[in-house]
Amino acid sequence: PFDTKALQQYYQMMNDRTDKTPIFPKLPIPSLFISGEQDKAAPAADLLHQASLADLALVEVLPGAGHMGFIEKASEVNDLIKQFLQLVQNRQG
């Protein structure tokens, strides 16, 4: 159900993107990292490495989810985001 042109553009953008890992140590805000347990495109080990570079990071691994955890486990991801935002709001006073 995806438009061919949209998919071509998506893959081109993914191919052309640059490594953003160096920004993590510079972020002045908490970061939320969510990974699917079965994600082959962005494995949890990579996510854990990136999270370790951030000053304050919350890491969640979704059991049974792959790369599209936000679709596969939409309710759980939404709950995690809400909890994270509440945590950030409470932290700010």
Side-chain angles (χ1 to χ4, degrees):
F2 293 103
D3 177 65
T4 301
K5 183 70 174 169
L7 284 174
Q8 290 171 337
Q9 290 172 336
Y10 166 78
Y11 285 111
Q12 187 64 49
M13 287 174 48
M14 294 299 288
N15 187 56
D16 294 346
R17 71 181 176 172
T18 59
D19 181 12
K20 302 290 191 254
T21 305
I23 69 167
F24 293 125
K26 300 173 186 173
L27 289 175
I29 57 173
S31 302
L32 173 62
F33 294 82
I34 302 175
S35 179
E37 176 184 48
Q38 299 170 359
D39 190 342
K40 303 286 190 249
D46 293 347
L47 176 116
L48 291 172
H49 170 70
Q50 292 173 356
S52 73
L53 300 173
D55 186 42
L56 179 60
L58 178 64
V59 177
E60 296 287 345
V61 178
L62 302 170
H67 189 63
M68 304 295 274
F70 61 94
I71 294 172
E72 299 167 59
K73 304 275 185 165
S75 178
E76 291 93 326
V77 169
N78 287 336
D79 288 343
L80 290 170
I81 292 170
K82 287 177 191 174
Q83 292 170 14
F84 176 74
L85 292 174
Q86 288 173 345
L87 176 73
V88 170
Q89 184 177 20
N90 292 341
R91 187 172 185 266
Q92 293 177 347

